[in-house]
Amino acid sequence: MIDVLKSLFRPQGTARSEVPADVAVAALLVEAARADGSYEAEDGHAVAHLLEDMLDLTTADAKTLRERGEAAQSEAADLVRFTRVVKFALDEAERVALIEGLWRLVLIDHHRDPHEDALLRRLPPLLGITDHDSAAARRRVLARAGETDTAD
């Protein structure tokens, strides 16, 4: 999976209005981190750390990508711009891994804000992920954190 995620950095012929896949991933992670109405320094660090892990980046490259994702996310009218790119650039297993990353971000504070829940209900179908796979991803994240899932 790492090799495929690394392939996101290879030059690709994308439409002028489309963002590169790695920036789209970063923008979705930033969106999840901002979903509760707060985006503090620790949220930015969490996004960068997740990008570092997911894409096997250096700390500096992850920070730069996070900044590009923040800029793209703040300029975007909606998330479809990013979900469309990710849906076609990543295979299903990678998209499920992204959903896990999104859940990791929204659950980092051990509190599920209604806006975070709404976002994580809206994104999976746009990414071509079933509700079942998204729920399984959430349960895996909670299990790693030693928490139980009260939703479903």
Side-chain angles (χ1 to χ4, degrees):
M1 180 169 121
I2 296 296
D3 291 334
V4 176
L5 290 172
K6 284 181 182 179
S7 73
L8 295 174
F9 292 103
R10 290 187 208 132
Q12 299 176 1
T14 58
R16 188 174 175 164
S17 65
E18 288 187 350
V19 297
D22 59 340
V23 175
V25 167
L28 291 174
L29 293 172
V30 169
E31 179 73 21
R34 288 182 173 164
D36 64 359
S38 171
Y39 190 73
E40 306 296 329
E42 54 269 1
D43 295 313
H45 293 303
V47 169
H49 182 70
L50 194 51
L51 287 167
E52 195 174 333
D53 287 347
M54 289 174 66
L55 302 177
D56 196 29
L57 300 174
T58 66
T59 301
D61 288 342
K63 180 181 177 219
T64 299
L65 181 55
R66 182 204 71 216
E67 291 167 352
R68 292 177 64 201
E70 289 168 347
Q73 187 270 343
S74 67
E75 296 170 1
D78 61 36
L79 298 176
V80 174
R81 176 180 186 199
F82 307 122
T83 58
R84 182 182 59 242
V85 170
V86 169
K87 183 177 180 178
F88 293 108
L90 303 180
D91 67 27
E92 184 178 6
E94 294 163 335
R95 293 189 317 269
V96 169
L98 174 59
I99 292 293
E100 282 189 34
L102 293 164
W103 277 114
R104 282 173 57 189
L105 280 172
V106 301
L107 297 172
I108 203 163
D109 61 0
H110 306 285
H111 170 70
R112 286 174 58 181
D113 181 89
H115 298 290
E116 293 170 332
D117 270 345
L119 177 67
L120 270 290
R121 286 187 216 285
R122 193 173 75 222
L123 284 179
L126 294 172
L127 293 171
I129 301 298
T130 66
D131 290 337
H132 178 268
D133 287 343
S134 178
R138 180 185 65 237
R139 286 190 295 271
R140 285 190 297 273
V141 170
L142 288 167
R144 278 186 230 122
E147 298 179 25
T148 58
D149 195 359
T150 59
D152 285 337

